[in-house]
Amino acid sequence: MNDVHEAVTRAHHDEWARVVAALTRRFGDLDRAEEAAAEAFATAVERWPADGVPPNPGAWLTTTATRKAIDRIRREDKRDDKHKEALMAHDDSPPEPLGAIDDDRLRLIFTCCHPALGTEARVALTLRMVGGLTVPEIARAFLVQESAMGQRITRAKAKIKATRIPYRVPAAEDLPARVSGVLAVLFLVFNEGYLATGPDTDPVRPGLTAEAIRLTRLIRALLPDDGEVAGLLALMLLTEARRTARVSTRGELIALDEQDRGSWDEVMIAEGHQLVRERLATGVAPGRYQVLAAINAVHTSARDARDTDWSQVLALYDQLVRLDASPIVALNRAIAVAELDGPEVALAAVDHLADKLTDYHAYHATRAALLRRVGRSQESRAAYDRAIELAGNTGEIAYLTRRRDQLG
Amino acid sequence: MQYLVSVIDDKGTPGSTDRQPAISAFNDRLIAEGYWVFAGGLADTDAATVVDNRGEQPVFSDGPFVESKEYLAGVWVWEAPDLDVALKLAAEASKACDRKIEVRPFQ
């Protein structure tokens, strides 16, 4: 009985996106595909305990879902023929030679992350249609009312239908921009799990980080030659590896230099390092995620915080600045500068960013730490106060409060 | 599928006034490639009249139905197979007009 339960859970994990993607392609309708897929999984829960788990659960689920969808169409057909007009535009040509092993799931991902949809809608739709999370699960993860989250997803599906967002892998010339849109959605999901916001929430939500990693792995399997996909996966793994070391038993965030490095997940670190090495070996100029992954690889290579190769970190930040001239990158670069050239030099660089980052908690937190190091306690305290005011993460607030109170 | 493509201008920061040659060239292409259904530039919003005959007598009032900094400067109707095609054309249209473009499908 437990084995069957496990088999259904595993099938849901492994096959949900495939079933939804195949049905969307066949019926040209996300709603219908989602509904039929859910029905097929419900049928599996009912039938597998008695009939046994089928030898190929994915095929069984797709066949069952297809049958459910056809049944429903027949019932609706008797009422009207309207649904036939509402089919999505889709392209029946064979998969383009992208090295893609499963074109339908890629189509599904690109549709859910279409640039014509709002960011929140993209995130919700991707978690529902590709990730297979339920609406209540997604609502909980983003601290949104269930009805509001349901509406967000319904509206997104309606826009896809009404505007004819195509069910298609973008043309080669559009692919890099569209892939980067997909990665942005996954990174957002990951970050929300990694640094959860909201006053009544745990500082870390491992469900979301795990889901983001799972979906990024899926995209990596579908687009194995894309360097930025590999980079994002490496970045997520090297970040996730430090998750348990990052929060104290009292729910306070622990800074990188204070973490117990022995409790980092070595398997994830090894995989992340391997991905970074693979990308370096290609000799292709890295994108933003690859450079971020490389920075994290340097940090996770040091067994002790004091062994960190800061000149390597700074060189990578210099590379990152050329790709992404945002003030947030400049802020993070300043942290490396502080280690190499001292806090005064770093502080000057940080103060330069005042106009652009005045509402960003990390700006004030970084400044507070630098001011403390140069002995300007009073200003440091004021900066901590401002950072605490702006921070949304409960663990981070606890950390900043402790640091402030240590100023004496 | 047909899309209404609206050209949006801004009274605060209007687009440049020398766009006609670029727009004409773009229109020729829309026609040649089979996307063109209709196009028209609009007179200033000052020229608008709103008519309301939902009551007993028709009421005519001067000016646009909504006063705003941003306003509709012209429209196209395009026939395109899907939104990706329409958005690609709209990106070119925005360059040609030097103005923002809204793409909205007909029902």
Side-chain angles (χ1 to χ4, degrees), chain B residues 1-2 13 16 23-24 28 35 44 48-50 55 77 86-87 93 103:
Chain B
M1 165 156 277
Q2 292 198 334
T13 51
S16 46
I23 295 170
S24 296
D28 289 345
Y35 300 119
D44 197 89
T49 309
V50 174
V77 177
L87 291 183
V103 178

Side-chain angles (χ1 to χ4, degrees), chain A residues 181-308:
Chain A
V182 171
L183 299 183
V185 166
L186 297 177
F187 198 32
L188 216 144
V189 172
F190 183 85
N191 280 331
E192 190 50 37
Y194 192 70
L195 201 66
T197 47
D200 301 316
T201 178
D202 289 341
V204 177
R205 278 179 249 160
L208 278 182
T209 53
E211 188 57 27
I213 289 175
R214 188 170 79 85
L215 292 175
T216 309
R217 279 190 196 284
L218 169 63
I219 294 175
R220 167 137 173 90
L222 299 172
L223 299 169
D225 300 326
D226 190 297
E228 279 295 84
V229 176
L232 180 60
L233 179 58
L235 173 60
M236 287 180 178
L237 288 168
L238 294 174
T239 312
E240 178 75 354
R242 306 193 300 253
R243 178 163 57 78
T244 51
R246 216 173 127 257
V247 183
S248 75
T249 45
R250 287 168 318 189
E252 185 184 300
L253 283 197
I254 304 172
L256 188 56
D257 58 337
E258 293 177 330
Q259 288 175 13
D260 167 16
R261 299 191 170 212
S263 68
W264 287 354
D265 186 316
E266 286 184 20
V267 177
M268 281 193 213
I269 290 180
E271 190 186 353
H273 285 183
Q274 177 60 30
L275 284 165
V276 170
R277 276 196 300 271
E278 262 175 49
R279 289 313 306 167
L280 279 174
T282 62
V284 180
R288 194 171 147 255
Y289 293 122
Q290 290 165 82
V291 177
L292 283 168
I295 291 168
N296 278 275
V298 176
H299 284 302
T300 46
S301 296
R303 297 310 305 165
D304 187 296
R306 281 166 303 190
D307 302 335
T308 306

